[in-house]
Amino acid sequence: MDDKDKVIEAFRNSDDPLNAKKVSEISGVDKKEVDKIMKELKKDETIISPKRCYWTLAEK
């Protein structure tokens, strides 16, 4: 499982929106790497922001 999969899995397993720090804690991926991955996920609209600085998986 690569880091991107770990980040997506962290979002999938959480009932609440997450920030990058929390995703890093849950997934075990370095926060700088989480920031890069989340930037990609935002761009392709895999994650959306229900409130400022917090993200959740988009419903697909």
Side-chain angles (χ1 to χ4, degrees), residues 1 3 7 9 14-16 22 24-25 28 33 37-38 40 43-45 48-49 54-55 59-60:
M1 181 182 279
D3 289 345
V7 169
E9 194 64 27
S14 175
D15 294 332
D16 299 318
K22 195 72 177 164
S24 177
E25 291 170 4
E33 190 62 29
I37 293 167
M38 285 178 64
E40 289 175 30
K43 190 179 279 187
D44 63 19
E45 298 179 354
I48 56 171
S49 180
Y54 285 82
W55 298 86
E59 300 297 323
K60 291 192 177 182

Side-chain angles (χ1 to χ4, degrees), residues 36-57:
K36 278 192 243 173
I37 293 167
M38 285 178 64
K39 186 176 181 181
E40 289 175 30
L41 296 176
K42 291 172 203 173
K43 190 179 279 187
D44 63 19
E45 298 179 354
T46 302
I47 59 174
I48 56 171
S49 180
K51 63 181 181 178
R52 186 178 167 159
C53 296
Y54 285 82
W55 298 86
T56 189
L57 287 176

